[in-house]
């Protein structure tokens, strides 16, 4: 894979594979999850592309100790960070501040707090970005196009461009971009460093024009000349998905779900346990559904496959507990000897999630804010029940699926309950017609289009 003859390098915090020690002590590579990896991996595996990523665990570090790693068709260059630097850069700056800024998650009464601890963490974030820059400077082939993925690497470009003027860097944001109002919570010099860091790329890409405009508006508002920008949405790889859906592990789960949900309508969600995913309001909406439409008691089941994420942050641990308590409360309130209203699964198992997406009657995707949300596209592509999609208007996916999904404002719990009720009551013919259009809209683009757009942003200039 190259860009008009130019070699390609991908840079991201989380790489395409992670390592784990097997019982016999050997290090075993496992392909990672997440949209970026499932989208890009099939395109670039076995192509000689260099992928530069953080060694995130002790086992990754052990695998990296021998230099560049070949696994699952990738040539992976692990960046080794001091563990404290990694924790501060990833948890304190990346996850607890930049992620919150871009998704508008701060409740300003208490946070953010830019104190001495944060200054130290920001210095670690600079160091972390510099380590990536050094890896790119040392490891990128001459004249390469370097695809820099996501907010963790916002500061990297200025640390590369002077040392390697032959390279073209494209930064792609998988999050929404916080516009001027959201960025206003970041004091200078953090905000300026962030915008200048992004602006030093040859181009900056976003999933939708809405996020792209917010970035340009932020540059204007805070006096940083904006670089060339583009909007290009990511989509799942249909062949990759079909491979999982048709595989033995998913088939086994399908069998189990068929028995478990016989005679029931099934509402499904599949998410990381992530504050922006709005999991609590989804359950409150379901509770309101059961209150207002008692006919769904005993005839519907909500299966939530939500798996732990970023557990280094207290907010995420607390969020998980709140979810578990809420589910328990709703199950106690409405459950009977023969019916459990909500089934909560917290193991991260991709074939099981794919089998579940095959089974839903209603898929609930209601994030507070989301750069794209690939589940909203994966669901329709693998569903076998003419399922209906209830989708937050604050996702990137909404831009492409608005004609074929039932839209909800993520904070409007009552409207979400009403959308669930509407979805559950559609006739078979209506569901069929909708599902066909959903499949067409969700499958309109593939990761190849997205990769092409990133390369075009620099090679066509
Ligand atoms: C989002 C981000 C990615 C990130 C993924 C998983 O999709 O945009 O950059 O990799 O979440 O989060 P994690 O913190 O586990 O890498």
């Amino acid at each position: 894979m190259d860009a008009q003859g130019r070699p390609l390098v991908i840079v991201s915090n989380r790489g395409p594979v992670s390592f784990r020690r097997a019982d016999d002590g050997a290090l075993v590579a496992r392909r990672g999850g997440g949209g970026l990896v499932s989208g890009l991996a099939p395109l670039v595996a076995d192509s000689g592309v260099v992928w530069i990523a953080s060694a995130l665990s002790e086992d990754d570090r052990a695998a990296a100790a021998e230099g560049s790693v070949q696994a699952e068709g990738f040539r992976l260059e692990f960046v080794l960070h001091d563990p404290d630097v990694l924790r501060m850069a990833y948890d304190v700056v990346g996850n607890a501040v930049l992620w919150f800024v871009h998704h508008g998650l701060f409740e300003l009464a208490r946070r953010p707090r830019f104190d001495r601890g944060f200054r130290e963490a920001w210095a670690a974030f600079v160091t972390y970005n510099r380590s990536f820059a050094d890896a790119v400077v040392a490891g990128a082939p001459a004249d390469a196009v370097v695809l820099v993925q996501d907010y963790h690497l916002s500061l990297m470009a200025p640390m590369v461009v002077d040392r390697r003027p032959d390279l073209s860097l494209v930064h792609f944001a998988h999050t929404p971009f916080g516009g001027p109002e959201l960025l206003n919570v970041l004091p200078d010099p953090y905000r300026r460093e962030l915008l200048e860091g992004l602006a030093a790329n040859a181009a900056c890409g976003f999933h939708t024009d809405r996020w792209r405009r917010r970035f340009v508006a932020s540059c204007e508002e805070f006096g940083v000349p904006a670089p060339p920008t583009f909007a290009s949405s990511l989509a799942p790889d249909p062949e990759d998905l079909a491979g999982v859906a048709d595989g033995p592990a998913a088939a086994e789960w399908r069998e189990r779900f068929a028995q478990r949900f016989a005679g029931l309508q099934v509402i499904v969600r599949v998410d990381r346990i992530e504050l922006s995913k709005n999991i609590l309001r989804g359950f409150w909406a379901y509770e309101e559904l059961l209150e207002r439409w008692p006919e769904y008691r005993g005839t519907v089941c909500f299966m939530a496959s939500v798996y732990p994420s970023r557990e280094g942050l207290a907010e995420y641990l607390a969020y998980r507990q709140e979810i578990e308590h809420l589910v328990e409360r709703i199950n106690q309130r409405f459950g009977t000897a023969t019916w459990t209203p909500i089934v909560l699964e917290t193991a991260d198992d991709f074939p099981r999630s794919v089998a579940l997406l095959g089974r839903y009657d209603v898929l609930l995707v209601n994030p507070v804010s989301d750069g794209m949300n690939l589940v909203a596209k994966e669901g329709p592509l693998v569903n076998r029940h003419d399922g209906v999609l209830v989708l937050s208007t604050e996702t990137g996916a909404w831009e492409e699926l608005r004609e074929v999904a039932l839209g909800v404002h993520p904070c409007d719990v009552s409207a979400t309950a009403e959308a669930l009720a509407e979805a559950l009551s559609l006739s078979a013919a209506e569901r069929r017609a909708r599902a066909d259009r959903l499949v067409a809209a969700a499958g309109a683009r593939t990761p190849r289009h997205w990769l092409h757009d990133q390369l075009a942003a620099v090679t066509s200039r």
Side-chain angles (χ1 to χ4, degrees), residues 226-438:
T229 54
F230 64 99
S232 170
S233 67
L234 179 57
D237 185 315
E239 284 168 29
D240 200 48
L241 265 182
V244 179
D246 297 339
E252 217 172 281
W253 281 110
R254 214 167 13 255
E255 191 57 38
R256 285 192 224 174
F257 292 144
Q259 287 174 16
R260 181 171 207 168
F261 299 130
L264 294 172
Q265 291 210 77
V266 188
I267 300 173
V268 163
R269 79 174 306 139
V270 175
D271 282 308
R272 290 188 295 116
I273 297 182
E274 160 58 58
L275 285 86
S276 65
K277 301 294 181 189
N278 207 16
I279 298 170
L280 293 172
R281 285 197 192 83
F283 289 136
W284 285 321
Y286 180 62
E287 182 175 33
E288 190 168 321
L289 172 90
L290 297 177
E291 281 166 2
R292 289 169 61 189
W293 288 272
E295 65 269 32
Y296 291 126
R297 297 182 197 168
T299 62
V300 171
C301 179
F302 189 157
M303 176 144 179
S305 175
V306 292
Y307 42 93
S309 177
R310 304 185 184 169
E311 293 207 303
L313 293 191
E315 284 95 332
Y316 282 63
L317 289 171
Y319 193 60
R320 177 178 181 166
Q321 280 186 356
E322 231 181 308
I323 289 168
E324 286 168 350
H325 288 149
L326 179 60
V327 168
E328 212 176 288
R329 186 177 67 66
I330 295 174
N331 280 344
Q332 269 172 12
R333 178 172 172 202
F334 292 102
T336 65
T338 53
W339 176 61
T340 307
I342 303 174
V343 178
L344 188 70
E345 291 281 0
T346 55
D348 183 3
D349 180 331
F350 192 54
R352 193 193 60 189
S353 297
V354 169
L356 190 60
L357 290 174
R359 173 59 185 89
Y360 68 78
D361 296 283
V362 182
L363 177 63
L364 178 62
V365 180
N366 65 327
V368 170
S369 180
D370 209 332
M372 169 48 54
N373 197 294
L374 283 182
V375 174
K377 293 182 174 178
E378 287 164 349
L381 292 180
V382 298
N383 185 257
R384 302 177 181 190
H385 273 251
D386 293 343
V388 183
L389 174 64
V390 174
L391 181 61
S392 161
T393 55
E394 299 306 302
T395 57
W398 174 250
E399 304 296 319
E400 291 163 282
L401 305 179
R402 61 197 313 153
E403 303 291 331
V404 287
L406 299 182
V408 287
H409 186 285
C411 297
D412 197 337
V413 172
S414 292
T416 306
E418 284 152 11
L420 292 175
E422 182 184 348
L424 290 167
S425 68
L426 289 178
S427 72
E430 281 171 300
R431 286 175 51 144
R432 178 90 281 253
R434 250 177 200 281
D436 285 345
R437 291 167 59 217
L438 252 178

Side-chain angles (χ1 to χ4, degrees), residues 21-232:
R21 270 218 199 269
D23 293 342
D24 64 0
L27 283 166
V28 186
R30 185 175 166 220
R31 201 175 109 177
L36 167 66
V37 169
S38 53
L40 262 182
L43 286 182
V44 302
D46 301 314
S47 66
V49 163
V50 179
W51 197 317
I52 299 175
S54 293
L56 290 172
S57 66
E58 274 312 309
D59 293 340
D60 285 353
R61 298 174 70 83
E66 286 138 37
S68 76
V69 176
Q70 296 280 349
E72 306 271 304
F74 301 105
R75 201 184 121 202
L76 188 62
E77 295 286 346
F78 270 129
V79 180
L80 293 173
H81 308 283
D82 173 287
D84 285 335
V85 167
L86 178 61
R87 188 191 58 75
M88 286 190 277
Y90 174 69
D91 275 339
V92 182
V93 178
N95 292 340
V97 172
L98 298 184
W99 181 267
F100 275 58
V101 166
H102 290 313
H103 291 84
L105 293 174
F106 278 123
E107 297 168 29
L108 288 180
R110 291 187 186 78
R111 297 195 46 231
R113 270 204 306 269
F114 299 104
D115 52 11
R116 277 169 45 197
F118 185 82
R119 279 196 188 169
E120 195 190 342
W122 186 265
F125 188 57
V126 173
T127 303
Y128 161 101
N129 271 266
R130 182 160 301 119
S131 300
F132 266 102
D134 292 346
V136 170
V137 167
D143 214 29
V145 176
V146 182
L147 303 181
V148 184
Q149 305 297 311
D150 238 350
Y151 57 98
H152 315 85
L153 299 166
S154 302
L155 306 187
M156 194 189 85
M159 304 167 180
V160 175
V161 287
D162 291 345
R163 294 150 77 194
R164 287 292 303 271
D166 58 311
L167 304 177
S168 299
L169 270 62
V170 182
H171 186 279
F172 194 90
H174 290 268
T175 59
F177 194 86
E181 307 236 319
L182 292 177
L183 251 71
N184 211 30
V185 307
L186 278 182
D188 269 338
Y190 307 124
R191 185 175 57 214
R192 172 159 294 275
E193 243 180 283
L194 184 80
L195 290 172
E196 286 177 349
L198 291 169
N201 290 277
C204 284
F206 301 86
H207 281 306
T208 71
D209 201 54
R210 191 176 173 194
W211 315 143
R212 187 195 69 77
R213 288 195 308 268
R214 285 198 196 166
F215 170 65
V216 173
S218 296
C219 288
E220 271 169 20
E221 175 81 14
F222 301 115
V224 173
T229 54
F230 64 99
S232 170

